[in-house]
Amino acid sequence: MLPELSQLIDLHELDKEISEVDQLLNHLPKELEALAQQLETLKSNLAARLQELEDLQKQRREAEAEVEDLEEGIKESRKRLLTIKKDLEYKAMLKEIGFKEDQRDQRETKVLELMEAIEAITGSIGELEQEIETEQHAFSRRETEVAAQVAKLREERAKLETKRVGLRKGLPAALLKRYEFINQRRNGGAVAEVRHGVCTGCHMNILPQQFIDLQKGEEILQCPHCQRILYWLGEEGAEEEEGLSRQAS
Ligand SMILES: [Zn+2]
């Protein structure tokens, strides 16, 4: 094999490694962001529940005050009832008391309903607070982990980059340009092995004469179908590997 082809294969492997590191470096902050978003949603749910609780408590205080007022009124009316002599007036007063008692009963029922609602919402607030605390802990833990992971990946990437610069230096500029062009178009897969005359990049047969030239190892060849830069490692290795994968499957 041409030394520059072998070096290009090394560069291709290295570029794949760098791309994996970059993907991870790109993904990790997004993962944290999603977790933070989840936490924010829980917190705004809690705020809404707390507001709801406050409203219910206000309604309850108002209903209780109304009950008290009506109770006061009923007492007053009963006192006045004792002083009334005329039958018609007496009956009218009794009717008024009855009406106020109805209203008081209705308000008391409302107070009970509000108390039940308050109890239910207080319970759900407690659960939500617990959940937020758990999520907050999980987030902080993941944040620390991610920070350490990112630092390590950056260090690794710097090392790979140094290696990459070194590998690129030894390659002809025209070949590098061709490599990069194909790499962009083939989503990072600029180089492909040929096995039994088939390009493993696109799974198509290369031309028989091309295969013979490739085996000679005297020039850089590209697949006629997918344009990937081709290399050949010898059929023995490939057959063994295939035999193994066939056995395994
Ligand atoms: Zn191909």
Side-chain angles (χ1 to χ4, degrees):
M1 192 189 286
L2 286 171
E4 59 201 52
L5 181 56
S6 150
Q7 205 168 325
L8 194 69
I9 295 168
D10 289 346
L11 176 63
H12 188 230
E13 282 308 310
L14 195 66
D15 277 343
K16 276 201 277 189
E17 248 181 280
I18 288 175
S19 154
E20 274 165 27
V21 169
D22 282 347
Q23 272 175 28
L24 214 50
L25 278 172
N26 185 36
H27 165 78
L28 286 169
K30 283 185 186 155
E31 184 202 318
L32 271 189
E33 215 175 286
L35 282 177
Q37 195 61 51
Q38 236 171 291
L39 200 55
E40 274 317 301
T41 306
L42 285 175
K43 282 181 183 172
S44 67
N45 280 354
L46 177 64
R49 287 289 160 80
L50 286 170
Q51 183 60 54
E52 227 177 300
L53 176 64
E54 208 182 299
D55 291 346
L56 287 170
Q57 280 168 336
K58 190 175 166 233
Q59 283 179 50
R60 181 189 161 178
R61 282 193 301 273
E62 281 167 3
E64 280 174 341
E66 280 168 5
V67 169
E68 251 175 70
D69 283 350
L70 286 163
E71 204 72 69
E72 232 13 80
I74 292 164
K75 264 190 216 162
E76 284 300 315
S77 301
R78 287 228 172 90
K79 263 189 221 163
R80 279 180 57 200
L81 196 63
L82 300 173
T83 65
I84 292 172
K85 302 278 184 282
K86 285 179 189 155
D87 198 39
L88 213 65
E89 244 177 82
Y90 190 85
K91 274 182 183 160
M93 187 52 80
L94 272 184
K95 207 174 164 189
E96 196 188 309
I97 290 172
F99 177 72
K100 279 180 182 168
E101 280 173 343
D102 272 354
Q103 281 209 317
R104 181 203 58 198
D105 291 349
Q106 278 173 24
R107 293 294 185 282
E108 274 177 347
T109 308
K110 196 181 170 194
V111 169
L112 284 177
E113 283 168 0
L114 284 167
M115 279 166 80
E116 269 172 35
I118 285 168
E119 200 181 322
I121 212 166
T122 304
S124 80
I125 284 171
E127 279 168 26
L128 208 47
E129 279 172 340
Q130 194 73 47
E131 198 182 341
I132 286 171
E133 206 188 312
T134 309
E135 290 290 315
Q136 184 74 61
H137 273 129
F139 177 78
S140 302
R141 199 170 51 232
R142 191 67 191 125
E143 198 176 30
T144 313
E145 278 171 9
V146 164
Q149 244 173 311
V150 165
K152 211 174 146 197
L153 284 169
R154 288 215 175 110
E155 209 177 294
E156 199 183 318
R157 201 200 184 287
K159 277 183 200 160
L160 291 172
E161 187 60 38
T162 310
K163 242 169 119 181
R164 183 170 179 259
V165 170
L167 272 178
R168 287 172 65 94
K169 255 185 206 161
L171 286 167
L175 180 60
L176 267 181
K177 211 173 158 189
R178 197 166 8 144
Y179 164 76
E180 261 157 25
F181 179 70
I182 306 165
N183 226 7
Q184 265 183 7
R185 293 181 55 176
R186 295 290 167 207
N187 199 19
V191 180
E193 190 189 348
V194 171
R195 285 188 192 175
H196 310 303
V198 174
C199 163
T200 56
C202 66
H203 307 288
M204 304 263 280
N205 277 300
I206 62 169
L207 305 171
Q209 186 54 49
Q210 253 190 327
F211 192 35
I212 293 166
D213 291 342
L214 185 67
Q215 287 173 324
K216 281 188 203 153
E218 287 165 355
E219 55 185 317
I220 303 265
L221 293 163
Q222 284 175 252
C223 173
H225 312 289
C226 70
Q227 269 68 51
R228 285 182 174 91
I229 296 166
L230 301 171
Y231 67 93
W232 182 72
L233 294 174
E235 290 303 327
E236 238 176 80
E239 268 161 27
E240 245 171 60
E241 259 179 61
E242 266 184 29
L244 279 176
S245 65
R246 214 173 289 146
Q247 269 177 2
S249 61

